[in-house]
Amino acid sequence: MIIKVLEVDNRTATTHFILLGFSTRPAFQVLLFFIFLLTYLLTLVENLLIILAICSDGQLHKPMYFFLSHLSFLEMWYVTVISPKMLIDFLNRDKSISFNGCMTQLYFFVTFVCTEYILLAVMAFDRYVAICNPLRYPVIMTNKLCGVLAGSCWFCGLITAMIKMVFIAQLHYCGTPHINHYFCDISPLLNVSCEDSSQAELVDFFLALMVIAVPLCVVVASYATILVTILKIPSAQGRQKAFSTCASHLTVVTLFYSTTLFTYARPKLMYAYNSNKVVSVLYTVIVPLLNPIIYCLRNRDVKAALKKTMLCNRSGPGGDGDFSG
């Protein structure tokens, strides 16, 4: 394979990276291809069905489902940024990716990850208002506020990714670096830079702290207040009904935050280990697949709407104990 290089300040700057991916036998690569292809297609179908169900069912035109539709839309693109290239590499000996392609993939991946962190915090706030202030819920969570909150999530994700890219893209990468990953991520790129990347690391750490820590504090504070409120409900049935409104979201938050924090809360040198690829598969492939299933299993309104969408006939009204009225 011929690798093009450019001369910059008497140094060779690469125009390509090599993604090492999963080092396995060819036969196992084919097996992985079919497994991940099936997972990718199922993720797209699941999230698309949820979006269609929410849009078509008037009973789901509530803030909780409005944010859920944004989460489903986000995760469809979230997996699309990574999966197609990964699937091609399973069947292709040439696992190279252009510099521009790598930076584009990284930009959109960071955008979607940051947006999801903030969106999950917004959804936690929505559950807090619904359970702790049920009478004021329609007044507080207006359509205008929901639109502003959703737009702010996307805006913050785009701006955060842009700032990170300014520092990462200007780093010098000598020759054709081999990235020990199956997609272009920040830590693997910092590892293969042939110049001091401390400034980029500092910016990445500060922004990651803001995007992860602040939403996490919102989530913890919201659910701590929700728990106190639920414990004050006198009847067991009332407590169960209140808890069911946030159980799905709490499960999704736990899955996403635990897997991503394990990866991004550690020094970049830890990315030299292959175990990080396995953890990355959890939040880039498995979690987006499980999220729609979790919401469907725990939410009778969504299940009823999905039946209407897929079978095109009426289902009986179901409730999941939504306090939004």
Side-chain angles (χ1 to χ4, degrees), residues 24 59 92 94 97 134 140 155 197 205 212 215 229 264 288 297 321:
T24 59
Q59 290 187 351
N92 198 348
D94 179 10
I97 183 171
I140 297 174
F155 179 76
S197 60
F205 174 77
I212 296 175
T229 302
Y264 295 113
L297 289 177

Side-chain angles (χ1 to χ4, degrees), residues 15-28:
T15 58
H16 289 76
F17 296 97
I18 303 295
L19 295 171
L20 297 181
F22 299 95
S23 301
T24 59
R25 295 178 180 178
F28 193 61

Side-chain angles (χ1 to χ4, degrees), residues 6 9 13 20 34 62 79 99-100 127 138 172 185 206 211 237 240 266-267 302 311 322:
L6 302 173
D9 298 331
L20 297 181
F34 284 108
K62 302 174 184 178
V79 295
F99 180 87
N100 290 336
R127 291 299 83 205
H172 191 74
D185 201 0
F206 176 75
V211 171
Q237 185 179 2
Q240 184 178 2
R266 297 182 296 164
V302 175
L311 302 178
D322 190 4

Side-chain angles (χ1 to χ4, degrees), residues 6 24 38 49 54 59 72 76 111 116 119 167 177-178 196 207 224 230 239 246 270 272 285 304 309 318 324-325:
L6 302 173
T24 59
L38 179 61
L49 283 175
I54 292 173
Q59 290 187 351
S72 293
M76 287 176 64
T111 295
E116 184 156 351
L119 182 60
F167 289 88
H178 288 62
D196 182 22
L207 291 175
I230 290 176
R239 289 194 296 270
C246 55
M270 292 298 290
V285 178
T309 303
S324 59

Side-chain angles (χ1 to χ4, degrees), residues 6 24 77 90 110 166 220 222 236 240 284 297 303 308 312:
L6 302 173
T24 59
W77 290 104
F90 280 133
V110 173
V166 168
V220 172
S222 297
Q240 184 178 2
T284 59
L297 289 177
K303 283 192 287 186
K308 292 178 185 178
C312 297

Side-chain angles (χ1 to χ4, degrees), residues 152-165:
S152 299
C153 293
W154 287 97
F155 179 76
C156 290
L158 288 166
I159 294 300
T160 302
M162 188 178 297
I163 296 172
K164 289 190 177 190
M165 290 305 301

Side-chain angles (χ1 to χ4, degrees), residues 20-216:
L20 297 181
F22 299 95
S23 301
T24 59
R25 295 178 180 178
F28 193 61
Q29 292 274 319
V30 175
L31 176 61
L32 287 176
F33 169 81
F34 284 108
I35 292 173
F36 282 104
L37 175 62
L38 179 61
T39 303
Y40 174 54
L41 294 177
L42 282 174
T43 302
L44 293 181
V45 170
E46 288 174 353
N47 284 289
L48 181 60
L49 283 175
I50 284 184
I51 293 172
L52 291 175
I54 292 173
C55 292
S56 62
D57 194 326
Q59 290 187 351
L60 299 186
H61 292 174
K62 302 174 184 178
M64 178 171 69
Y65 302 112
F66 172 76
F67 294 126
L68 176 58
S69 66
H70 274 268
L71 180 65
S72 293
F73 179 76
L74 184 153
E75 292 196 330
M76 287 176 64
W77 290 104
Y78 179 72
V79 295
T80 300
V81 168
I82 297 169
S83 294
K85 172 59 179 171
M86 177 176 61
L87 291 170
I88 291 171
D89 287 346
F90 280 133
L91 303 179
N92 198 348
R93 279 183 146 184
D94 179 10
K95 302 182 187 298
S96 65
I97 183 171
S98 68
F99 180 87
N100 290 336
C102 184
M103 293 302 153
T104 301
Q105 185 185 58
L106 177 62
Y107 173 73
F108 284 107
F109 173 71
V110 173
T111 295
F112 296 137
V113 169
C114 294
T115 301
E116 184 156 351
Y117 272 119
I118 302 169
L119 182 60
L120 289 174
V122 169
M123 294 174 76
F125 172 74
D126 171 71
R127 291 299 83 205
Y128 155 75
V129 178
I131 294 174
C132 300
N133 296 280
L135 298 179
R136 298 185 60 201
Y137 184 83
V139 179
I140 297 174
M141 299 304 294
T142 61
N143 291 338
K144 182 178 179 180
L145 179 62
C146 291
V148 170
L149 289 174
S152 299
C153 293
W154 287 97
F155 179 76
C156 290
L158 288 166
I159 294 300
T160 302
M162 188 178 297
I163 296 172
K164 289 190 177 190
M165 290 305 301
V166 168
F167 289 88
I168 294 172
Q170 69 181 3
L171 291 175
H172 191 74
Y173 302 94
C174 301
T176 307
H178 288 62
I179 299 176
N180 187 26
H181 213 350
Y182 57 89
F183 71 98
C184 292
D185 201 0
I186 294 175
S187 294
L189 277 169
L190 293 177
N191 277 332
V192 298
S193 173
C194 58
E195 68 174 327
D196 182 22
S197 60
S198 57
Q199 188 178 29
E201 289 179 57
L202 184 62
V203 171
D204 176 55
F205 174 77
F206 176 75
L207 291 175
L209 187 65
M210 294 294 293
V211 171
I212 296 175
V214 174
L216 183 59

